[in-house]
């Protein structure tokens, strides 16, 4: 496929006003490591991240449909439907010029987007992150719940937890709140993390047990998600000076070891009585579209405790390396590791957090090639649960060589550095949100074999850390990486 021709055709649509240009992220394949297939395999995800499936539901005058009240709810937990909800027309708040301050959106469930959309939108498209945060808070104002995946102005209750929390907190921590009030957003999330809220909707009894005992009965997957979202809310409370709330949600987020199986050294579902639901780490029972191997390493907010329970950093890295080795023949899809769905999308980047960044560099390259490196329907997306750009998001981040284990929800947001697919990546920074003009990543000695970072420099000064603070990124600059075919086990271990 001729990428140049495709790019020109897309630009024709953009110039005619049919599409908003997505080329905020520019990739230069150079002469060694970028063929048309690689570039297309990366720019297709960039389009998916922005354009796939999401729709504005407000009209030019700011009016939009609201189906958030009335009717009869049937079903349970994530299979809830509302029959004959009340229809009403609402109007978006206006700015001083009389224009709508933001848009209202439909979307698939923004589930576990801390490992894809939250990070990528915050890097390259902060206005999208701002818009979605404002839209979700507006849903809460109207219906009393933060949505998971709103549809035609109504709640769908798909998937689980309160994914709006990780989205909104990641926007706040990076200063992306031009279109919504942090005070209102925080109040909405706090209410949604209690009984009757979206975090544990239709699960008040289970939430009460989780708060008291540290885990959700029979649901290890929910324990992991609830703990992360509690942590994210606590980090925002800390940034806002609400230290009592910070301590409360942080303590809630650290109760997950109550669902830890000491012999299997994995998270496993257990009953209220303390008995284990089962002992099969490859079973999805007690998890959400995952198994114990895939989900356990998703405890992104508390890798330090996870490593200690596994016997230390080296033990965690050995066990995680084992699951990647066991999954490579399956192209890292629906095996011990699965990059076909959200719960496992952070796994390769965990190595960096336990002092083994070279293993992150190696396995990220393997996943980028084997899981996301094709452009055919059968092997490009045929086996992935794309979910409106979420798998595309992790694919694009791997190609760029940047990631965030917590999606930017930390008090001091950081981006993990790994080896990009391309020789040069330029992110044009949005001047409405960030101070710099562009952030460029330039890669030397790049090739399929050279996946290991030998050294790095930031704005001309040698750089030895595997993480880049958002406060540095938003100023703009140049990150240079030199790659080789042998790991440098000294770089990135500070």
């Amino acid at each position: 496929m001729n990428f140049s021709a495709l790019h020109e055709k897309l630009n024709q649509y953009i110039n005619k006003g049919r599409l908003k240009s997505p080329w905020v992220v520019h990739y230069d394949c150079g002469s060694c490591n970028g063929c048309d297939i690689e570039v297309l395999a990366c720019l297709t995800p960039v389009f998916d991240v922005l354009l796939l499936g999401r729709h504005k539901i407000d009209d030019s005058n700011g009016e939009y449909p609201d189906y958030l009240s009335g009717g009869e709810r049937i079903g349970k937990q994530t299979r809830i439907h509302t029959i004959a909800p009340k229809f009403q027309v609402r109007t978006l708040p206006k700015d001083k010029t009389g224009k709508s301050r933001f848009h209202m959106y439909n979307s698939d469930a923004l589930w576990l987007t801390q490992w894809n959309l939250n990070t990528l939108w915050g890097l390259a498209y902060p206005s999208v992150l701002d818009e979605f945060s404002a839209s979700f808070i507006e849903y809460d104002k109207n219906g009393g719940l933060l949505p998971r995946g709103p549809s035609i102005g109504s709640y769908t209750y798909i998937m689980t937890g309160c994914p709006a929390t990780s989205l909104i907190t990641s926007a706040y921590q990076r200063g992306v709140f031009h279109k919504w009030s942090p005070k209102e957003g925080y109040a909405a999330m706090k209410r949604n993390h209690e009984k009757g809220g979206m975090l544990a909707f239709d699960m008040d009894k289970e939430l009460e047990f989780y708060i008291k005992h540290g885990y959700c009965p029979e649901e290890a997957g929910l324990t992991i998600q609830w703990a992360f979202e509690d942590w994210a809310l606590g980090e925002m409370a800390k940034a806002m000076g609400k230290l009592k709330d910070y301590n409360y949600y942080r303590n809630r987020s650290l109760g997950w070891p109550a669902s830890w199986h000491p012999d299997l050294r994995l998270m496993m579902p257990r009953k209220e009585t303390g008995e284990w639901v089962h002992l099969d780490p490859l079973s999805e029972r007690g998890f959400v579209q995952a198994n114990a191997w895939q989900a356990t390493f998703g405890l992104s907010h508390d890798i330090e405790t996870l490593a200690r329970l596994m016997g230390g950093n080296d033990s965690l890295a050995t066990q995680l390396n084992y699951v990647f080795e066991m999954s490579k023949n399956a192209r890292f899809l629906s095996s011990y590791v699965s990059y076909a769905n959200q719960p496992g999308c952070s796994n390769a980047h965990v190595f960096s957090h336990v002092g083994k960044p070279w293993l992150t560099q190696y396995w990220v390259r393997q996943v980028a090639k084997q899981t996301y490196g094709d452009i055919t329907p059968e092997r490009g997306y045929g086996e992935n649960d794309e979910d409106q750009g979420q798998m595309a998001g992790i694919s694009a981040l791997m190609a760029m060589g940047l990631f965030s284990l917590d999606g930017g929800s930390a008090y001091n947001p950081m981006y993990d550095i790994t080896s990009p697919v391309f020789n040069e990546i330029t992110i044009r920074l949005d001047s409405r949100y960030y101070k710099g003009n562009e952030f460029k990543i330039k890669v030397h000695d790049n090739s399929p074999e050279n996946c290991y970072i030998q050294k790095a420099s930031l704005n001309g000064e040698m750089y030895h850390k595997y993480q880049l603070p958002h406060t540095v990124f938003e100023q703009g600059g140049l990150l240079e990486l030199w790659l080789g075919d042998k790991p440098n086990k000294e770089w990135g271990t500070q």
Side-chain angles (χ1 to χ4, degrees):
M1 184 175 290
N2 189 318
F3 170 73
S4 297
L6 174 66
H7 193 285
E8 179 60 32
K9 177 64 71 175
L10 291 173
N11 277 336
Q12 289 175 11
Y13 275 84
I14 292 164
N15 292 334
K16 291 177 181 178
R18 298 184 189 179
L19 292 175
K20 181 179 179 181
S21 174
W23 312 124
V24 173
V25 183
H26 174 72
Y27 304 92
D28 182 1
C29 61
S31 60
C32 71
N33 198 39
C35 63
D36 283 356
I37 290 177
E38 285 177 322
V39 177
L40 184 60
C42 189
L43 288 183
T44 298
V46 171
F47 248 79
D48 289 352
V49 164
L50 288 176
L51 302 176
L52 185 62
R54 299 180 190 89
H55 301 281
K56 297 171 183 175
I57 65 170
D58 53 286
D59 210 336
S60 59
N61 62 0
E63 292 183 348
Y64 63 92
D66 180 320
Y67 290 95
L68 300 177
S69 61
E72 178 187 1
R73 285 175 177 156
I74 61 173
K76 187 173 178 62
Q77 294 180 14
T78 61
R79 294 294 180 264
I80 297 172
H81 304 280
T82 304
I83 306 300
K86 177 184 176 182
F87 168 71
Q88 52 188 316
V89 176
R90 293 187 184 272
T91 304
L92 285 165
K94 302 292 199 300
D95 62 18
K96 294 179 180 179
T97 67
K99 294 182 179 180
S100 298
R101 290 176 55 197
F102 53 87
H103 294 283
M104 292 295 286
Y105 290 91
N106 286 338
S107 77
D108 196 0
L110 295 179
W111 183 56
L112 307 184
T113 52
Q114 64 265 29
W115 298 319
N116 40 71
L117 298 182
N118 298 1
T119 300
L120 187 55
W121 284 350
L123 282 167
Y125 307 100
S127 63
V128 178
L129 186 62
D130 202 7
E131 282 261 310
F132 265 83
S133 298
S135 175
F136 277 33
I137 293 167
E138 191 74 6
Y139 274 106
D140 179 82
K141 289 179 183 177
N142 297 338
L145 291 169
L146 287 165
R148 292 168 177 165
S151 178
I152 322 178
S154 65
Y155 295 121
T156 64
Y157 304 99
I158 299 172
M159 288 281 290
T160 57
C162 188
T165 296
S166 66
L167 181 86
I168 295 168
T169 56
S170 74
Y172 174 78
Q173 299 289 18
R174 288 177 282 186
V176 181
F177 49 87
H178 294 189
K179 301 182 179 184
W180 54 278
S181 159
K183 181 179 179 181
E184 292 179 354
Y186 180 80
M189 289 183 288
K190 183 175 179 179
R191 180 167 26 80
N192 275 270
H193 277 235
E194 303 306 324
K195 289 183 179 180
M198 192 59 88
L199 181 75
F201 189 79
D202 200 34
M203 300 180 71
D204 283 355
K205 180 182 176 182
E206 290 87 345
L207 179 62
E208 184 177 0
F209 188 92
Y210 160 83
I211 293 171
K212 185 176 181 179
H213 299 284
Y215 70 97
C216 177
E218 309 201 19
E219 294 286 352
L222 289 186
T223 299
I224 294 169
Q225 184 184 0
W226 290 359
F228 177 83
E229 289 166 1
D230 273 343
W231 170 85
L233 183 55
E235 289 292 287
M236 182 167 170
K238 179 181 179 180
M240 297 179 74
K242 300 177 182 293
L243 297 185
K244 183 177 180 180
D245 284 2
Y246 162 69
N247 289 323
Y248 173 69
Y249 289 112
R250 177 172 174 78
N251 288 337
R252 275 176 44 160
S253 78
L254 298 179
W256 61 267
S259 194
W260 176 261
H261 196 289
D263 297 327
L264 295 176
R265 295 197 298 180
L266 293 168
M267 290 289 285
M268 297 297 291
R270 67 190 314 176
K271 302 176 183 179
E272 288 188 15
T273 60
E275 299 174 275
W276 299 105
V277 174
H278 65 82
L279 296 177
D280 180 4
L282 289 174
S283 170
E284 291 192 0
R285 186 181 174 192
F287 294 91
V288 184
Q289 298 184 2
N291 60 42
W293 288 109
Q294 297 161 10
T296 293
F297 297 98
L299 285 157
S300 300
H301 68 291
D302 199 10
I303 296 298
E304 182 179 351
T305 301
L306 179 64
R308 178 174 54 80
L309 292 174
M310 284 189 169
N313 286 352
D314 290 345
S315 294
L316 185 153
T318 298
Q319 187 156 322
L320 185 55
N321 196 66
Y322 165 79
V323 302
F324 272 92
E325 292 286 355
M326 292 294 290
S327 304
K328 61 185 180 183
N329 291 336
R331 294 175 48 233
F332 311 106
L333 295 167
S334 304
S335 182
Y336 288 74
V337 168
S338 181
Y339 275 83
N341 210 344
Q342 287 89 329
C345 280
S346 65
N347 289 359
H349 290 85
V350 171
F351 290 109
S352 292
H353 291 256
V354 292
K356 316 281 185 185
W358 62 92
L359 288 175
T360 287
Q361 296 153 27
Y362 175 77
W363 288 116
V364 163
R365 275 288 187 92
Q366 297 305 306
V367 173
K369 178 182 179 181
Q370 295 188 44
T371 309
Y372 303 126
D374 207 304
I375 61 171
T376 63
E378 294 79 11
R379 293 179 69 87
Y381 285 103
E383 298 174 66
N384 296 338
D385 191 2
E386 175 54 19
D387 285 341
Q388 294 188 349
Q390 293 200 45
M391 298 305 102
I394 182 63
S395 172
L397 288 166
M398 286 182 165
M400 293 165 61
L402 294 176
F403 189 73
S404 174
L405 212 61
D406 56 49
S409 290
Y411 176 75
N412 183 22
M414 297 276 187
Y415 301 112
D416 297 356
I417 301 168
T418 187
S419 50
V421 170
F422 298 101
N423 291 341
E424 191 169 292
I425 302 98
T426 303
I427 303 172
R428 295 199 299 271
L429 302 181
D430 190 329
S431 61
R432 293 169 296 179
Y433 298 90
Y434 302 147
K435 297 177 182 178
N437 294 319
E438 65 179 29
F439 191 89
K440 182 175 289 187
I441 304 171
K442 189 172 183 179
V443 186
H444 304 274
D445 304 320
N446 198 1
S447 72
E449 296 77 22
N450 290 2
C451 67
Y452 297 108
I453 297 174
Q454 305 299 300
K455 62 179 180 177
S457 72
L458 179 64
N459 298 326
E461 300 288 335
M462 297 309 297
Y463 196 73
H464 304 287
K465 300 176 182 179
Y466 76 90
Q467 288 189 309
L468 177 75
H470 177 76
T471 53
V472 173
F473 167 82
E474 69 173 343
Q475 303 292 328
L478 173 64
L479 175 66
E480 293 188 83
L481 303 172
W482 284 262
L483 304 184
D485 62 356
K486 300 289 191 299
N488 175 4
K489 297 184 179 181
E490 298 299 320
W491 185 86
T493 57
Q494 290 187 5

